[in-house]
Amino acid sequence: MDDSTEKVAQWIIDSQRIVVFAGAGLSTESGIPDFRSPGGVWDRYDPEDFYYQNFISSETSRLKYWQMSTEMYESIRKAEPNPAHLAIAEMEKLGKLDCVITQNVDALHFKAGNSEERVIELHGNATYVTCLSCGKRYDRDEIQEQLRKTRKVPLCEGCSGLLKPATISFGQAMPVRETEEAYNRSSLSDLFIVIGSSLVVEPAASMPRIAKRSGAKLVIINRDPTPYDDAADLVIHGEAGPTMKEILEKLREQLKKSEMGR
Ligand code: APR
């Protein structure tokens, strides 16, 4: 890993438009399970049950959805950023981050210190709830408290529309602005760093392909192999936290050397 992290740190120094692409593997060290690893969310729940159409069409599906989502939210609510989140925030402070394109709904990038304008949430955000009819926004903790008391699917107090955590379910339309922005930034990037994603869910998983085709160097940091490993310029099969911590240390050392060299 030593040479690899050294190389990534050097590529960060040499690059101008660095995009970090994040998946659930970035947050497992913060206590939030991912989806496709053993013991992950889709190991315990059948993803077929959580299609958007099901949520819209039946009260039973909505209750099932809220039950699964409440369990996930419990780990998100307690979670703190880990060294990988902190390293990405530090890259922004060092002026070495164009943006983070994240599939994660846990808002930990903001808790770690990344600014709103540099985080593109492709799959939404689980820390608030919206009405699917009028778009009214609700605080997640308030709705969870209501759900705990009533055990009924929450409805909008304004228009009686269905309330749903502001995340994107399978079969639900992707957020237009965020998706366009993510495609655009991926195509303009010169270094694209994937951290903790199995890269199997589209359209998110096409971002590394777009970046690579547009000439970017592609780095993948993931515990398990991904379908893009062969296309990558460098692959590290390791833990996100320690790997990003080491890359950041190397980056700081090299920045210091280059400053002294001037
Ligand atoms: N360090 C590095 N890699 C890790 C770590 C870790 N600490 N923990 C898990 N991983 C890796 C796993 O090996 C796995 O390949 O992270 C990857 C997570 O993959 P998924 O669980 O498929 O998560 P993700 O790629 O984000 O899923 C995409 O699918 O279910 C939907 O909407 C959901 O946004 C999600 C999307």
Side-chain angles (χ1 to χ4, degrees):
M1 177 151 92
D2 203 48
D3 290 353
S4 301
T5 52
E6 189 83 38
K7 201 180 265 183
V8 177
Q10 188 56 54
W11 287 351
I12 291 175
I13 288 184
D14 299 341
S15 304
Q16 308 312 317
R17 296 189 71 110
I18 303 168
V19 171
V20 169
F21 180 88
L26 180 73
S27 297
T28 53
E29 293 162 64
S30 296
I32 303 172
D34 65 11
F35 295 90
R36 293 173 185 81
S37 292
V41 176
W42 300 141
D43 220 16
R44 288 174 287 126
Y45 291 95
D46 179 353
E48 293 297 319
D49 293 341
F50 301 102
Y51 270 72
Y52 187 61
Q53 288 67 24
N54 295 5
F55 187 90
I56 298 293
S57 58
S58 99
E59 184 74 359
T60 321
S61 297
R62 285 191 280 277
L63 270 172
K64 206 175 199 175
Y65 178 94
W66 274 103
Q67 187 217 335
M68 179 272 288
S69 184
T70 297
E71 190 187 301
M72 277 192 71
Y73 182 63
E74 213 26 57
S75 56
I76 289 174
R77 206 169 54 77
K78 289 183 288 202
E80 291 300 328
N82 65 56
H85 295 105
L86 298 172
I88 300 166
E90 187 68 18
M91 284 172 65
E92 181 178 335
K93 288 197 191 82
L94 292 167
K96 283 284 150 183
L97 182 74
D98 180 62
C99 69
V100 183
I101 298 171
T102 190
Q103 300 169 95
N104 299 344
V105 296
D106 54 37
L108 286 178
H109 299 293
F110 306 117
K111 248 186 179 175
N114 281 114
S115 54
E116 292 254 343
E117 61 275 10
R118 291 200 183 272
V119 178
I120 301 173
E121 294 180 301
L122 269 184
H123 294 163
N125 185 314
T127 66
Y128 62 92
V129 169
T130 50
C131 171
L132 297 177
S133 305
C134 71
K136 187 172 162 50
R137 183 169 166 156
Y138 295 81
D139 173 73
R140 179 80 191 243
D141 290 331
E142 275 170 34
I143 297 298
Q144 288 300 144
E145 185 52 20
Q146 188 189 317
L147 191 61
R148 193 183 62 74
K149 284 193 189 125
T150 65
R151 300 197 171 290
K152 286 206 175 86
V153 168
L155 298 176
C156 179
E157 59 194 18
C159 74
S160 305
L162 296 174
L163 297 188
K164 181 179 171 293
T167 58
I168 305 295
S169 298
F170 292 123
Q172 190 170 359
M174 292 288 288
V176 175
R177 186 189 65 75
E178 287 82 353
T179 308
E180 278 175 6
E181 186 71 14
Y183 277 130
N184 185 32
R185 301 284 189 115
S186 299
S187 66
L188 294 172
S189 70
D190 56 3
L191 178 60
F192 197 92
I193 307 174
V194 173
I195 309 176
S197 180
S198 59
L199 298 177
V200 296
V201 174
E202 295 288 352
S206 61
M207 306 291 169
R209 187 170 53 238
I210 289 164
K212 184 73 191 158
R213 274 209 201 126
S214 316
K217 274 199 177 60
L218 176 59
V219 172
I220 298 178
I221 300 167
N222 202 57
R223 184 185 285 164
D224 296 306
T226 78
Y228 283 86
D229 284 12
D230 293 347
D233 297 278
L234 193 147
V235 176
I236 302 176
H237 288 147
E239 298 299 296
T243 305
M244 286 306 293
K245 191 161 176 273
E246 197 172 304
I247 289 171
L248 185 66
E249 279 157 13
K250 299 273 171 71
L251 179 61
R252 286 204 187 104
E253 279 167 27
Q254 290 179 22
L255 283 172
K256 211 183 282 169
K257 272 195 213 131
S258 56
E259 260 152 40
M260 278 146 69
R262 242 179 253 143

